Amino acid sequence: MKREDLKALLEDMSLQEKVDQMMQLMGVFYLDDAEGVLTGPARQLGVGEEDFWMAGSILGTYGAEQLMAIQRKYMEKQPHHIPMLFMMDVIHGMKTIFPMPLAQGATFEPELSGKCASAAAKEAAVSGLHVTFSPMVDLVRDARWGRVMESTGEDPYLNGLFAKAQVEGFQGDDMGKPYKVCSCVKHFAAYGGAQAGRDYNTVELSEHTLREFYLPSYKAGIDAGVGMVMTSFNTVNGIPASTNRWLMRDILRGEMGFDGVLISDFSAILETVAHGHSEDEADAAKKALEAGVDIDMMTSVYAANLCRLVEEGTVSEALIDESVMRILELKNKLGLFENPYKDANSEEEKTIILCDEHRKLAREAAGKSFVLLKNEGLLPIDMGKKAAFVGPYTNCKEIISSWAVTGDTSACVTIEEAAKEVFDLTRTSFHQGCQILANDYHLTGFGNLGESVPKELSEEEQKKMFEEALTAAKEADLVVMPLGEHFLQSGEATSRAMIDIPEIQMNLFREVAKVNDNIVVVLFNGRPLDLREISKTAKAILDVWFPGTEGGHAIVDALTGKINPSGKLPMSFPYCVGQVPVHYNEYATGRPNLEGMQERFKSKYIDIPNEPLYPFGYGLSYTNFEISPVTISKDIVTDGQSIKASVTVKNIGQVEGTEVIQLYIQDVAASVVRPVKELKGFEKVKLCPNEEKQVEFTIDEPMLRFLRADGTVGSDEGKFRIWIGSNSDTKNEAVFNCRK
Ligand code: GLC
């Protein structure tokens, strides 16, 4: 539809009709037998049946048949036959589930993440969906927060690359094209900064920190052309995001130039009353509209108040027109006025969903996301040895994360299923050993994942399982222990004050360690965990996160050496929870805890080290890489002049492997304090044994720019350090100067 036709349509709509376009409800309200996924607190809605049939969009329902039925019914009733928008949380896969986003961050391969998003978009589109509430691009530093699993980690630069890749993967160059959907960058802004890692908690950041660390990844998504942004639940500078005009009008739309649809998070406009910012629902409606929020997710705050507020002269109808125009433009970009069903196709659902091509991609992405944290000669497994798999994840299909709300765990491949395809079963055995969680620990999740509560086992059943596993462990040459968090212990509303592997599993681990020294832990986790104990005892640790539908195959590929792990941590693993938040790009402080300084008055703990157990960018390989000292082409960078910094990487091991060579830079002294180091580039290098390659980075003045105290952005003259290595703790250093 041409823009002038959209304007004509808008002018012809009644005020209530326009306001109802700004309401989003659940799909289950529209069909008696509709299925849906409730992803937030349902509330009594203050609108009538006629409003339902004018709501501009729905969330939480998918499936070509049922969405086509809803669309048909809706358009018959909608006075101008405007099509409805169908939205869903397709976070890291629709039915083919890819590794959770934090795991995708560990691949240090944004383009791979883009391919996963593209495959997810295709499955979502044939299921009738138009919009996905993904990617979540919140910077995260606190492992207590359950939603770190949805992010790609603690670094602004890395998060920005993944944000761009995922938006482009979901939307392509035109979201109206077949098998593309509108992407939604969330949660604007700084939701990941929740105090104490407690979900929905206050976020207390300086504007400087907000701009330097938290905003860049949203900006990257917006610059990639994202069609939608979602508000966050938290306050920023004491004002809830959904009613924060400075954040939404000045920064998001003004500075960042976002002109797409701004949707609230689930009931977030209404919740500004609970925040103590809005007097009541009418006040919330007014403030959110003035902040430029276009869609009210899952409440009737807009629909039940805006008409009256316009009639009273409290809000301007022009603001409603502005929002509704953006909603109509999004529907138009998706081609819904020409084809309200877009790609919905129940025949194609059968051939595209969980197709071999997508499973193959899921297996590749999972394999590249694994991080080898420790390996003292046990991996890859010697297939001539007697192996016992002992642990609750040995044959567990719940390996797709709590945000895979449209996924089916039944489609997942378990470790045991995959191992039985390659291991000699005369000397390989499989034992659960214990449950993931003790009987008294209950969790809830979204959709059909919500029914996943551990099967209650009697004392004797548990004892029998435990003893049988120990016997096998005792008789084996090595024990592979698939352990970790329950998948519902991470995700939304799952903050944990203790970030341990469940005690019931640690008991099994300790008993196995008494009878066998050769333990390989395969770790399932939605967040960095406290791995102090297992890191002392296990000879190998492979972090597989929640690897998705093809997890079992990918894990066995890694255990047997069919693939060589190359993942790198996108988020620091703390020494223990007391160290949280811990992140590599911290400030030095005036009393840094450096060697050689007086021991007492330093920024340190007296009971634990400052360093995380495993740092950002860390990950081992089955081979070894030698990295030469850094060479730089010259030691002065001036405006318009760049320098080259390079190393030679050599595979000095026996097998092919991939190393992620990382470039870090520090501005040693600047008008505002700068992080001790910042990731500024990386390159994945695949080398055969004895092969070597030069890796070169170009360092130019724009790379050195930062936000100054006066709000300008630029570089300062002075000394800079660079490091090039295999993780953020590298000592491979060189120095240069920037001159104006
Ligand atoms: C949830 C989440 C958000 C999600 C939305 C819709 O509360 O915060 O990330 O997209 O509701 O399900």
Side-chain angles (χ1 to χ4, degrees):
M1 195 186 256
K2 294 194 191 72
R3 187 166 164 73
E4 53 266 29
D5 296 336
L6 287 179
K7 286 179 76 92
L9 169 60
L10 181 70
E11 280 155 20
D12 200 45
M13 291 165 75
S14 71
L15 178 58
Q16 186 64 52
E17 193 184 348
K18 288 189 282 191
V19 166
D20 285 341
Q21 281 294 307
M22 300 167 74
M23 173 168 64
Q24 178 173 86
L25 300 176
M26 288 290 294
V28 289
F29 298 152
Y30 292 85
L31 281 183
D32 300 340
D33 55 350
E35 289 166 14
V37 179
L38 182 63
T39 52
R43 288 178 171 84
Q44 195 56 40
L45 292 167
V47 289
E49 171 91 4
E50 71 287 347
D51 288 300
F52 277 165
W53 289 105
M54 294 215 281
S57 62
I58 57 174
L59 84 159
T61 293
Y62 59 92
E65 282 306 315
Q66 61 179 358
L67 287 180
M68 289 171 80
I70 293 173
Q71 191 72 291
R72 241 187 314 278
K73 213 169 160 186
Y74 172 81
M75 288 180 72
E76 279 164 13
K77 292 172 178 268
Q78 211 286 334
H80 285 86
H81 313 297
I82 297 169
M84 199 182 227
L85 269 177
F86 299 138
M87 307 191 194
M88 187 81 215
D89 293 285
V90 180
I91 307 298
H92 55 103
M94 176 80 198
K95 288 292 179 187
T96 306
I97 304 300
F98 300 97
M100 63 180 220
L102 193 60
Q104 291 189 33
T107 66
F108 272 66
E109 201 168 317
E111 49 284 350
L112 178 60
S113 213
K115 288 178 189 163
C116 295
S118 183
K122 191 168 182 180
E123 293 192 3
V126 297
S127 303
L129 292 169
H130 305 138
V131 180
T132 177
F133 298 128
S134 182
M136 182 271 219
V137 300
D138 300 311
L139 181 99
V140 292
R141 294 173 160 175
D142 193 323
R144 294 168 294 183
W145 193 49
R147 300 194 74 164
V148 302
M149 52 77 55
E150 272 180 274
S151 164
T152 48
E154 70 189 47
D155 182 73
Y157 170 73
L158 189 67
N159 289 348
L161 295 175
F162 276 95
K164 177 179 187 297
Q166 292 182 66
V167 167
E168 291 170 351
F170 284 120
Q171 296 188 168
D173 57 7
D174 172 358
M175 65 175 81
K177 284 183 177 167
Y179 307 136
K180 292 303 174 188
V181 295
C182 173
S183 170
C184 174
V185 152
K186 66 187 185 182
H187 306 80
F188 198 76
Y191 180 26
Q195 278 183 332
R198 204 178 75 223
D199 209 350
Y200 318 121
N201 202 5
T202 304
V203 169
E204 204 49 65
L205 298 171
S206 67
E207 182 177 339
H208 184 85
T209 297
L210 173 71
R211 288 178 177 278
E212 273 286 86
F213 291 98
Y214 287 83
L215 293 187
S217 51
Y218 305 107
K219 178 82 169 53
I222 290 155
D223 290 349
V226 74
M228 185 176 285
V229 168
M230 183 184 294
T231 68
S232 59
F233 289 118
N234 54 283
T235 53
V236 175
N237 292 343
I239 299 176
S242 300
T243 47
N244 192 319
R245 290 177 61 161
W246 170 75
L247 188 63
M248 299 303 172
R249 294 267 186 203
D250 298 352
I251 293 189
L252 177 65
R253 294 199 188 279
E255 290 179 26
M256 294 188 173
F258 177 65
D259 62 359
V261 171
L262 179 59
I263 188 169
S264 79
D265 202 340
F266 202 109
S267 70
I269 295 175
L270 174 61
E271 290 170 12
T272 61
V273 178
H275 270 289
H277 184 241
S278 301
E279 289 290 324
D280 52 27
E281 292 192 19
D283 189 34
K286 174 177 183 299
K287 285 173 174 163
L289 181 70
E290 288 170 351
V293 179
D294 302 317
I295 297 178
D296 168 19
M297 183 190 290
M298 263 309 277
T299 75
S300 54
V301 167
Y302 272 3
N305 293 285
L306 286 180
C307 290
R308 189 184 68 258
L309 291 171
V310 169
E311 281 141 16
E312 289 166 0
T314 311
V315 299
S316 152
E317 186 167 357
L319 289 179
I320 291 168
D321 289 350
E322 178 194 311
S323 286
V324 176
M325 191 60 181
R326 284 192 285 259
I327 295 167
L328 296 178
E329 280 172 342
L330 177 57
K331 296 184 178 186
N332 200 36
K333 271 186 202 163
L334 286 159
L336 298 183
F337 287 101
E338 289 73 31
N339 173 9
Y341 307 113
K342 196 171 186 302
D343 303 311
N345 185 321
S346 48
E347 283 314 304
E348 287 196 329
E349 275 181 310
K350 296 180 192 124
T351 54
I352 288 172
I353 283 179
L354 284 164
C355 63
D356 290 348
E357 181 195 342
H358 289 177
R359 278 187 175 270
K360 186 164 171 283
L361 178 61
R363 182 169 180 167
E364 178 197 356
K368 288 183 172 178
S369 74
F370 299 160
V371 182
L372 184 61
L373 297 174
K374 182 178 180 183
N375 187 26
E376 288 171 355
L378 284 188
L379 292 178
I381 290 173
D382 174 347
M383 301 300 271
K385 298 268 189 196
K386 184 171 183 179
F389 286 76
V390 173
Y393 274 102
T394 298
N395 200 31
C396 175
K397 286 184 176 287
E398 293 176 337
I399 54 176
I400 58 175
S401 114
S402 62
W403 263 116
V405 295
T406 53
D408 292 321
T409 52
S410 58
C412 290
V413 177
T414 70
I415 292 174
E416 181 172 340
E417 288 166 343
K420 283 179 173 172
E421 294 169 10
V422 294
F423 278 78
D424 177 341
L425 300 182
T426 63
R427 53 169 177 265
T428 309
S429 60
F430 304 90
H431 317 270
Q432 184 181 348
C434 71
Q435 294 164 284
I436 293 175
L437 296 169
N439 280 343
D440 58 357
Y441 196 122
H442 293 298
L443 300 153
T444 50
F446 295 141
N448 58 3
L449 297 179
E451 286 118 41
S452 168
V453 287
K455 184 164 145 319
E456 302 264 335
L457 290 180
S458 67
E459 286 300 315
E460 51 272 24
E461 283 174 317
Q462 293 186 61
K463 189 167 182 294
K464 181 171 175 294
M465 176 198 290
F466 198 89
E467 285 169 359
E468 177 247 324
L470 277 191
T471 305
K474 199 181 300 182
E475 294 162 1
D477 298 320
L478 86 154
V479 187
V480 180
M481 299 197 74
L483 303 171
E485 282 186 304
H486 190 280
F487 78 101
L488 293 180
Q489 283 183 288
S490 61
E492 184 167 354
T494 63
S495 297
R496 294 180 66 198
M498 262 69 83
I499 51 174
D500 308 323
I501 292 172
E503 192 59 15
I504 190 170
Q505 298 180 50
M506 288 308 295
N507 291 335
L508 175 66
F509 174 79
R510 293 178 192 115
E511 291 308 313
V512 167
K514 287 177 189 168
V515 300
N516 199 311
D517 292 338
N518 296 323
I519 296 177
V520 175
V521 168
V522 176
L523 182 72
F524 290 79
N525 53 313
R527 57 164 49 86
L529 294 177
D530 178 345
L531 301 182
R532 275 175 295 166
E533 186 175 345
I534 67 164
S535 66
K536 286 194 189 86
T537 313
K539 284 189 179 164
I541 303 171
L542 182 70
D543 191 343
V544 299
W545 314 99
F546 285 107
T549 307
E550 281 293 319
H553 278 139
I555 291 165
V556 169
D557 291 345
L559 292 176
T560 58
K562 184 177 177 189
I563 60 167
N564 181 354
S566 57
K568 298 287 185 178
L569 293 181
M571 187 176 179
S572 307
F573 270 52
Y575 181 83
C576 65
V577 73
Q579 212 179 55
V580 167
V582 59
H583 49 95
Y584 87 93
N585 45 5
E586 61 178 6
Y587 293 142
T589 78
R591 296 187 174 183
N593 187 24
L594 301 176
E595 295 298 320
M597 295 177 70
Q598 43 78 24
E599 264 315 300
R600 186 174 169 202
F601 302 103
K602 300 201 295 190
S603 180
K604 68 177 182 8
Y605 302 95
I606 59 171
D607 52 354
I608 63 168
N610 280 25
E611 294 71 29
L613 191 66
Y614 299 111
F616 173 85
Y618 174 85
L620 301 176
S621 169
Y622 293 155
T623 189
N624 290 304
F625 297 97
E626 192 174 70
I627 301 174
S628 72
V630 179
T631 55
I632 50 176
S633 55
K634 42 186 182 175
D635 64 359
I636 300 275
V637 171
T638 58
D639 261 342
Q641 286 275 320
S642 61
I643 64 172
K644 306 281 187 194
S646 62
V647 295
T648 299
V649 193
K650 182 174 183 179
N651 180 344
I652 58 173
Q654 307 306 315
V655 295
E656 180 183 87
T658 299
E659 181 59 287
V660 181
I661 301 298
Q662 301 155 45
L663 167 70
Y664 295 90
I665 294 183
Q666 178 195 24
D667 186 343
V668 174
S671 54
V672 291
V673 168
R674 309 294 302 122
V676 293
K677 59 182 68 169
E678 295 176 274
L679 181 71
K680 291 290 186 181
F682 57 87
E683 184 178 327
K684 288 187 80 164
V685 182
K686 184 182 234 179
L687 298 172
C688 295
N690 291 318
E691 185 184 4
E692 65 181 42
K693 180 176 187 255
Q694 190 193 44
V695 175
E696 184 176 87
F697 297 102
T698 299
I699 297 170
D700 55 13
E701 185 273 335
M703 198 188 262
L704 310 179
R705 293 176 186 166
F706 61 94
L707 177 68
R708 299 189 184 111
D710 64 3
T712 60
V713 173
S715 59
D716 277 6
E717 289 199 325
K719 178 178 171 184
F720 290 77
R721 286 196 182 90
I722 53 173
W723 295 268
I724 299 179
S726 58
N727 65 63
S728 61
D729 202 26
T730 179
K731 310 300 180 207
N732 196 20
E733 179 182 334
V735 172
F736 70 90
N737 286 278
C738 176
R739 289 274 178 274
K740 293 293 180 183

